[in-house]
Amino acid sequence: MADNERIEILGVPVDFIDRDRAVEKFERSFPEPGVTMIVTPNSEIVQRASKEPELCSLIGKADIIIPDGIGLVYASKIIGRPLKERVTGIDFLETIVAYLEKNGKSIYFFGSKPGVAEKAAENIRKKYPQLKVAGCHDGYFKPEEEAGIVGEINDSGADFLCVALGAPKQEKFIYDHRNELRVHGAIGVGGSLDVWAGTLKRAPEFYQKHGLEWLYRLIQEPTRIKRMSALPVFMLRVIAGGRRK
Ligand code: UDP
């Protein structure tokens, strides 16, 4: 499996990649000049991007597009370009953290409710004690505060930026500021900081193994039912041949 190949699901690009290739791609791209932009779309985001050309094009501009979700793996099988596995954003983030720790690089945690990023940083440092945390900032801000936050991230001297604002807000933030940000890489991670902080439980292994993390999440956050009801529609559209709406 080469690491620079992309497939299209409902017209939305996704890297034709497995976990190991994604890590290799990151390690090659991170030291290069500019911000290595990593997005981790699941089927919900792909479904949305298939109807929002701007979001679709933003995803396509990322350096690494990780297939984060069992729905994308099923969809890839249906279109005859089977992805080997899904690569969850939270697992990939941990791989990045391990890389940063090993290489003496620092990370900035931006997003989630006040206190969550700090708690997530504290907890992940129990596992990666040498990890340098350049700073933290919560994800609730007014539009006029955005430029100041970019300034804070830059002033912290962080090498890598983790953005947890939910999709597609986090992807837009990274993309909109990619030319001002002085970090070497940035990833949008949804609720990962909540999981690391312990405010949201990750699905037990049984659910993870059987591709049922979405079900566990639904049990924890029943209000997601409306968002998740898009998923059967997503699968049907893939089966029906993709681009037709
Ligand atoms: N969030 C935030 N600012 C906002 C909206 C959301 O920091 O204006 C955070 C929220 O606290 C949570 C994460 O973004 O930690 C959203 O996670 P979720 O898993 O719902 O993201 P999605 O599934 O939409 O990618």
Short mmCIF file of all heavy atoms in Angstrom, two decimals, residues 42 44-45 110-113 116 138-141 164-170 189-194 200 217 221 224 227, ligand 1:
data_model
loop_
_atom_site.label_atom_id
_atom_site.label_comp_id
_atom_site.label_asym_id
_atom_site.label_seq_id
_atom_site.Cartn_x
_atom_site.Cartn_y
_atom_site.Cartn_z
N ASN A 42 -14.77 11.04 9.50
CA ASN A 42 -15.54 9.80 9.62
C ASN A 42 -16.66 9.88 8.57
O ASN A 42 -16.73 10.84 7.80
CB ASN A 42 -16.09 9.62 11.04
CG ASN A 42 -16.90 10.83 11.48
OD1 ASN A 42 -17.32 11.65 10.67
ND2 ASN A 42 -17.12 10.95 12.77
N GLU A 44 -19.71 10.51 8.82
CA GLU A 44 -20.60 11.66 9.01
C GLU A 44 -20.04 12.91 8.30
O GLU A 44 -20.77 13.64 7.63
CB GLU A 44 -20.68 11.90 10.52
CG GLU A 44 -21.79 12.78 10.98
CD GLU A 44 -21.66 12.98 12.50
OE1 GLU A 44 -21.48 11.99 13.25
OE2 GLU A 44 -21.73 14.14 12.91
N ILE A 45 -18.74 13.09 8.43
CA ILE A 45 -18.11 14.26 7.80
C ILE A 45 -18.02 14.08 6.28
O ILE A 45 -18.22 15.02 5.51
CB ILE A 45 -16.71 14.50 8.42
CG1 ILE A 45 -16.87 14.97 9.87
CG2 ILE A 45 -15.88 15.51 7.64
CD1 ILE A 45 -17.66 16.26 10.03
N PHE A 110 -5.40 22.76 22.00
CA PHE A 110 -6.38 23.83 21.84
C PHE A 110 -7.76 23.23 21.62
O PHE A 110 -7.97 22.47 20.67
CB PHE A 110 -5.96 24.70 20.64
CG PHE A 110 -6.99 25.71 20.21
CD1 PHE A 110 -7.72 26.44 21.13
CD2 PHE A 110 -7.23 25.92 18.85
CE1 PHE A 110 -8.67 27.37 20.73
CE2 PHE A 110 -8.17 26.86 18.43
CZ PHE A 110 -8.91 27.58 19.38
N GLY A 111 -8.71 23.58 22.50
CA GLY A 111 -10.07 23.12 22.28
C GLY A 111 -10.68 22.48 23.51
O GLY A 111 -10.04 22.33 24.55
N SER A 112 -11.96 22.14 23.39
CA SER A 112 -12.78 21.53 24.46
C SER A 112 -13.07 22.56 25.56
O SER A 112 -12.57 23.67 25.54
CB SER A 112 -12.12 20.28 25.04
OG SER A 112 -11.94 19.33 24.01
N LYS A 113 -13.88 22.11 26.50
CA LYS A 113 -14.35 23.03 27.56
C LYS A 113 -13.19 23.45 28.48
O LYS A 113 -12.18 22.74 28.56
CB LYS A 113 -15.44 22.33 28.38
CG LYS A 113 -16.66 22.02 27.53
CD LYS A 113 -17.92 21.91 28.36
CE LYS A 113 -19.12 21.76 27.45
NZ LYS A 113 -19.71 20.44 27.47
N VAL A 116 -10.36 21.16 30.31
CA VAL A 116 -10.24 19.81 29.71
C VAL A 116 -8.85 19.61 29.08
O VAL A 116 -8.20 18.58 29.30
CB VAL A 116 -11.37 19.57 28.67
CG1 VAL A 116 -11.11 18.30 27.88
CG2 VAL A 116 -12.72 19.50 29.36
N ASP A 138 -8.80 26.67 25.96
CA ASP A 138 -10.09 26.04 25.72
C ASP A 138 -10.66 26.46 24.36
O ASP A 138 -10.12 27.36 23.72
CB ASP A 138 -11.07 26.37 26.86
CG ASP A 138 -11.52 27.81 26.82
OD1 ASP A 138 -12.37 28.14 25.98
OD2 ASP A 138 -10.99 28.62 27.62
N GLY A 139 -11.70 25.79 23.96
CA GLY A 139 -12.22 25.99 22.60
C GLY A 139 -13.44 26.87 22.52
O GLY A 139 -14.17 26.82 21.51
N TYR A 140 -13.70 27.65 23.54
CA TYR A 140 -14.89 28.52 23.51
C TYR A 140 -14.44 29.97 23.49
O TYR A 140 -13.95 30.50 24.49
CB TYR A 140 -15.80 28.17 24.69
CG TYR A 140 -16.36 26.78 24.50
CD1 TYR A 140 -15.62 25.65 24.89
CD2 TYR A 140 -17.55 26.57 23.81
CE1 TYR A 140 -16.08 24.36 24.65
CE2 TYR A 140 -18.03 25.28 23.57
CZ TYR A 140 -17.29 24.18 23.99
OH TYR A 140 -17.75 22.92 23.73
N PHE A 141 -14.54 30.57 22.31
CA PHE A 141 -13.98 31.91 22.12
C PHE A 141 -14.84 32.68 21.12
O PHE A 141 -15.58 32.08 20.34
CB PHE A 141 -12.54 31.81 21.60
CG PHE A 141 -12.42 30.96 20.36
CD1 PHE A 141 -12.51 31.52 19.09
CD2 PHE A 141 -12.24 29.58 20.46
CE1 PHE A 141 -12.43 30.74 17.95
CE2 PHE A 141 -12.17 28.78 19.31
CZ PHE A 141 -12.26 29.37 18.05
N ALA A 164 -9.18 20.66 19.07
CA ALA A 164 -10.38 19.89 19.41
C ALA A 164 -11.58 20.83 19.49
O ALA A 164 -12.00 21.22 20.58
CB ALA A 164 -10.17 19.16 20.73
N LEU A 165 -12.09 21.23 18.33
CA LEU A 165 -13.23 22.14 18.29
C LEU A 165 -14.45 21.47 17.68
O LEU A 165 -15.47 22.11 17.46
CB LEU A 165 -12.90 23.39 17.45
CG LEU A 165 -11.70 24.25 17.89
CD1 LEU A 165 -11.44 25.34 16.87
CD2 LEU A 165 -11.95 24.85 19.26
N GLY A 166 -14.32 20.17 17.37
CA GLY A 166 -15.36 19.48 16.62
C GLY A 166 -15.18 19.76 15.13
O GLY A 166 -14.60 20.78 14.75
N ALA A 167 -15.67 18.84 14.30
CA ALA A 167 -15.55 19.00 12.85
C ALA A 167 -16.79 19.72 12.33
O ALA A 167 -17.89 19.47 12.83
CB ALA A 167 -15.41 17.62 12.20
N PRO A 168 -16.69 20.61 11.36
CA PRO A 168 -15.48 20.99 10.63
C PRO A 168 -14.82 22.26 11.16
O PRO A 168 -13.93 22.80 10.51
CB PRO A 168 -16.03 21.24 9.22
CG PRO A 168 -17.40 21.80 9.45
CD PRO A 168 -17.90 21.17 10.72
N LYS A 169 -15.22 22.71 12.36
CA LYS A 169 -14.66 23.96 12.90
C LYS A 169 -13.14 23.85 13.05
O LYS A 169 -12.39 24.77 12.71
CB LYS A 169 -15.33 24.23 14.26
CG LYS A 169 -15.22 25.64 14.73
CD LYS A 169 -16.11 25.87 15.96
CE LYS A 169 -15.87 27.26 16.49
NZ LYS A 169 -16.59 27.52 17.73
N GLN A 170 -12.70 22.69 13.57
CA GLN A 170 -11.27 22.52 13.81
C GLN A 170 -10.46 22.51 12.50
O GLN A 170 -9.38 23.10 12.42
CB GLN A 170 -11.02 21.24 14.61
CG GLN A 170 -11.58 20.00 13.96
CD GLN A 170 -11.88 18.84 14.90
OE1 GLN A 170 -11.96 19.02 16.11
NE2 GLN A 170 -12.02 17.64 14.37
N VAL A 189 -9.05 16.80 16.20
CA VAL A 189 -9.26 15.54 16.92
C VAL A 189 -10.62 15.37 17.60
O VAL A 189 -10.78 14.43 18.39
CB VAL A 189 -8.16 15.31 17.99
CG1 VAL A 189 -6.81 15.12 17.35
CG2 VAL A 189 -8.13 16.45 19.01
N GLY A 190 -11.60 16.26 17.30
CA GLY A 190 -12.93 16.07 17.88
C GLY A 190 -12.91 15.95 19.39
O GLY A 190 -12.34 16.79 20.09
N GLY A 191 -13.50 14.86 19.91
CA GLY A 191 -13.63 14.71 21.35
C GLY A 191 -12.46 14.02 22.04
O GLY A 191 -12.59 13.60 23.20
N SER A 192 -11.30 13.91 21.38
CA SER A 192 -10.19 13.13 21.97
C SER A 192 -9.70 13.70 23.30
O SER A 192 -9.33 12.94 24.21
CB SER A 192 -9.01 13.09 21.00
OG SER A 192 -9.40 12.45 19.83
N LEU A 193 -9.67 15.03 23.44
CA LEU A 193 -9.19 15.60 24.70
C LEU A 193 -10.14 15.27 25.84
O LEU A 193 -9.72 15.05 26.97
CB LEU A 193 -8.98 17.12 24.58
CG LEU A 193 -7.94 17.56 23.55
CD1 LEU A 193 -7.73 19.07 23.62
CD2 LEU A 193 -6.61 16.84 23.75
N ASP A 194 -11.45 15.21 25.51
CA ASP A 194 -12.43 14.81 26.53
C ASP A 194 -12.15 13.39 27.01
O ASP A 194 -12.29 13.08 28.19
CB ASP A 194 -13.86 14.88 25.97
CG ASP A 194 -14.28 16.30 25.67
OD1 ASP A 194 -14.30 17.12 26.60
OD2 ASP A 194 -14.59 16.60 24.50
N LEU A 200 -15.13 12.10 29.01
CA LEU A 200 -15.90 11.25 28.09
C LEU A 200 -15.21 9.90 28.06
O LEU A 200 -13.99 9.85 27.89
CB LEU A 200 -15.88 11.89 26.69
CG LEU A 200 -16.84 11.37 25.64
CD1 LEU A 200 -18.27 11.79 25.97
CD2 LEU A 200 -16.47 11.95 24.28
N ARG A 217 -20.92 5.39 21.86
CA ARG A 217 -20.98 6.86 21.94
C ARG A 217 -22.44 7.32 22.00
O ARG A 217 -22.79 8.24 22.72
CB ARG A 217 -20.28 7.42 20.70
CG ARG A 217 -20.09 8.88 20.72
CD ARG A 217 -18.62 9.27 20.78
NE ARG A 217 -18.50 10.65 21.20
CZ ARG A 217 -17.89 11.58 20.50
NH1 ARG A 217 -17.30 11.28 19.36
NH2 ARG A 217 -17.82 12.82 20.94
N GLU A 221 -24.08 9.59 24.70
CA GLU A 221 -24.62 10.90 24.30
C GLU A 221 -25.82 10.70 23.39
O GLU A 221 -25.71 10.85 22.17
CB GLU A 221 -23.55 11.70 23.53
CG GLU A 221 -22.30 12.02 24.31
CD GLU A 221 -21.26 12.68 23.41
OE1 GLU A 221 -21.40 13.87 23.09
OE2 GLU A 221 -20.33 11.98 22.98
N ARG A 224 -26.88 12.52 20.14
CA ARG A 224 -26.21 12.37 18.84
C ARG A 224 -27.06 11.61 17.83
O ARG A 224 -26.68 11.49 16.67
CB ARG A 224 -24.87 11.66 19.01
CG ARG A 224 -23.84 12.47 19.75
CD ARG A 224 -22.55 11.69 19.89
NE ARG A 224 -21.67 11.86 18.76
CZ ARG A 224 -20.73 12.79 18.66
NH1 ARG A 224 -20.55 13.65 19.61
NH2 ARG A 224 -19.98 12.88 17.59
N ARG A 227 -27.62 13.31 14.51
CA ARG A 227 -26.44 13.33 13.64
C ARG A 227 -26.19 11.95 13.05
O ARG A 227 -25.84 11.79 11.89
CB ARG A 227 -25.22 13.75 14.45
CG ARG A 227 -25.21 15.23 14.75
CD ARG A 227 -24.13 15.56 15.74
NE ARG A 227 -22.80 15.20 15.25
CZ ARG A 227 -21.69 15.52 15.87
NH1 ARG A 227 -21.72 16.20 16.99
NH2 ARG A 227 -20.53 15.17 15.39
N1 UDP B 1 -15.83 22.25 21.13
C1 UDP B 1 -15.11 23.41 21.35
N2 UDP B 1 -15.61 24.59 20.90
C2 UDP B 1 -16.79 24.68 20.23
C3 UDP B 1 -17.51 23.48 19.96
C4 UDP B 1 -16.98 22.28 20.42
O1 UDP B 1 -14.04 23.38 21.94
O2 UDP B 1 -17.18 25.78 19.85
C5 UDP B 1 -15.27 20.99 21.61
C6 UDP B 1 -16.19 20.20 22.54
O3 UDP B 1 -16.04 20.67 23.87
C7 UDP B 1 -15.65 18.81 22.35
C8 UDP B 1 -15.22 18.81 20.89
O4 UDP B 1 -15.09 20.16 20.51
O5 UDP B 1 -14.52 18.60 23.17
C9 UDP B 1 -16.26 18.21 19.95
O6 UDP B 1 -16.10 16.91 19.96
P1 UDP B 1 -16.98 15.95 19.06
O7 UDP B 1 -16.49 14.59 19.29
O8 UDP B 1 -18.44 16.24 19.25
O9 UDP B 1 -16.53 16.38 17.64
P2 UDP B 1 -17.04 15.85 16.28
O10 UDP B 1 -17.60 14.46 16.48
O11 UDP B 1 -18.08 16.85 15.89
O12 UDP B 1 -15.81 15.90 15.46
#
